[in-house]
Amino acid sequence: MSQPTRKIAAIHQPGYLPWPGFFHKIFLSDVFILLDHVSIARQNFTARVPVRTHSGQKYLRVPLRKHHPSTCIKDVYPADEDWVPSHLGMLRFYHKSPFFKQYFPWVEDLLLRINHSEDLASINSFLIIEICQLLKIETPILRSSLMHPQEKSAALMIELSKKAEATIYFSGTRAKNYQDSALFQEHGLDLVYQRFFEYMESQPYPQAQGEFMNGLTILDTIFNLGVEGTRELLSGYAEKYPIL
């Protein structure tokens, strides 16, 4: 008797130039869902991402128009100002990284192509998809707002995973506070937690700017490791933490 086909789903709010762990979720999944219909939270990474600077870790921040904290991510818009040049200026700090000269022109072109009239979710989705193409990650990427979900919290993750016909939900560790593996099992889903931050701590990559800092933008990884090195970093996770 043949075994049922395994299908991994991962879900995350669309971050701005997010860290390698975000792309690892996409890399390891069979389908990835951008959670763009939920409220934008304070102090999250939908409009900011940490980078290295001369004075340590700082954030690239997308200035936003005034909005209520309960506004959906897809209904939040960047402020009417030209913030891209300042982001590019901060990223030039990486000029000593081995792959900076190769990939900075690509990053510059990418950021200059941003349509400032679009909502934050669309801008982030565009950047995420372009970075996936650079890294040769072919996982289908969906947007939750087009899937018309009804549930909230852990039930929402189950609903979206089932809509995607997944058998495994690959979750971030912060969700342990509100997720019950038994509830996922009741709906035919195995719940597996990602341990990428821990993986990176045990296997830091060389950063030309100094001692290893975990959790920085994927651009830090690309500038220091290149595309092939970044792919090797993402693929090496499964050897240490195999999925079911």
Side-chain angles (χ1 to χ4, degrees):
M1 187 174 180
S2 61
Q3 294 293 322
T5 303
R6 186 185 78 166
K7 186 174 183 180
I8 302 171
I11 304 168
H12 206 289
Q13 294 179 2
Y16 177 65
L17 299 173
W19 77 303
F22 186 102
F23 289 93
H24 173 254
K25 273 190 174 183
I26 307 176
F27 178 82
L28 207 59
S29 300
D30 298 298
V31 60
F32 186 81
I33 300 169
L34 291 169
L35 198 64
D36 66 341
H37 79 286
V38 298
S39 300
I40 188 168
R42 289 194 178 100
Q43 300 302 317
N44 66 13
F45 294 98
T46 53
R48 64 175 188 148
V49 67
V51 296
R52 291 185 87 128
T53 70
H54 291 286
S55 54
Q57 179 180 296
K58 290 192 174 182
Y59 287 89
L60 297 180
R61 297 179 185 270
V62 178
L64 302 176
R65 297 180 193 173
K66 288 185 178 180
H67 60 276
H68 192 273
S70 63
T71 305
C72 294
I73 298 170
K74 66 182 181 63
D75 296 324
V76 173
Y77 287 81
D80 296 323
E81 57 185 84
D82 193 7
W83 45 269
V84 166
S86 67
H87 287 203
L88 290 171
M90 289 177 69
L91 290 171
R92 287 189 176 90
F93 172 71
Y94 287 95
H95 69 279
K96 292 184 180 179
S97 296
F99 294 90
F100 177 84
K101 288 183 179 179
Q102 183 175 351
Y103 292 109
F104 183 77
W106 174 83
V107 172
E108 184 174 31
D109 176 69
L110 190 65
L111 293 183
L112 290 174
R113 286 166 57 195
I114 288 174
N115 184 344
H116 288 75
S117 67
E118 287 191 297
D119 60 272
L120 180 63
S122 294
I123 288 172
N124 289 352
S125 299
F126 162 72
L127 295 173
I128 289 164
I129 290 170
E130 290 292 322
I131 293 169
C132 282
Q133 290 178 353
L134 178 71
L135 297 176
K136 304 172 187 175
I137 300 174
E138 299 179 351
T139 305
I141 297 177
L142 311 178
R143 290 179 65 162
S144 65
S145 59
L146 302 178
M147 300 172 73
H148 310 294
Q150 303 297 319
E151 301 290 350
K152 295 181 180 180
S153 193
L156 172 61
M157 304 301 108
I158 293 172
E159 180 186 13
L160 291 173
S161 296
K162 296 299 288 183
K163 282 178 177 285
E165 301 181 338
T167 60
I168 297 172
Y169 175 52
F170 192 44
S171 173
T173 53
R174 291 184 180 180
K176 281 185 177 181
N177 296 328
Y178 64 86
Q179 289 181 162
D180 181 0
S181 59
L183 183 61
F184 282 78
Q185 288 284 352
E186 288 176 13
H187 289 83
L189 287 164
D190 289 313
L191 176 59
V192 178
Y193 287 103
Q194 184 194 43
R195 301 167 63 182
F196 199 80
F197 190 91
E198 176 184 331
Y199 165 68
M200 292 271 281
E201 287 291 296
S202 68
Q203 193 164 317
Y205 62 85
Q207 294 171 328
Q209 295 71 33
E211 291 186 8
F212 178 71
M213 284 187 182
N214 203 345
L216 302 178
T217 172
I218 186 69
L219 299 184
D220 180 282
T221 320
I222 292 171
F223 288 152
N224 282 297
L225 295 182
V227 166
E228 293 308 316
T230 300
R231 282 184 57 85
E232 288 177 10
L233 179 73
L234 300 180
S235 62
Y237 175 93
E239 297 177 8
K240 192 164 187 177
Y241 304 111
I243 300 297
L244 297 173

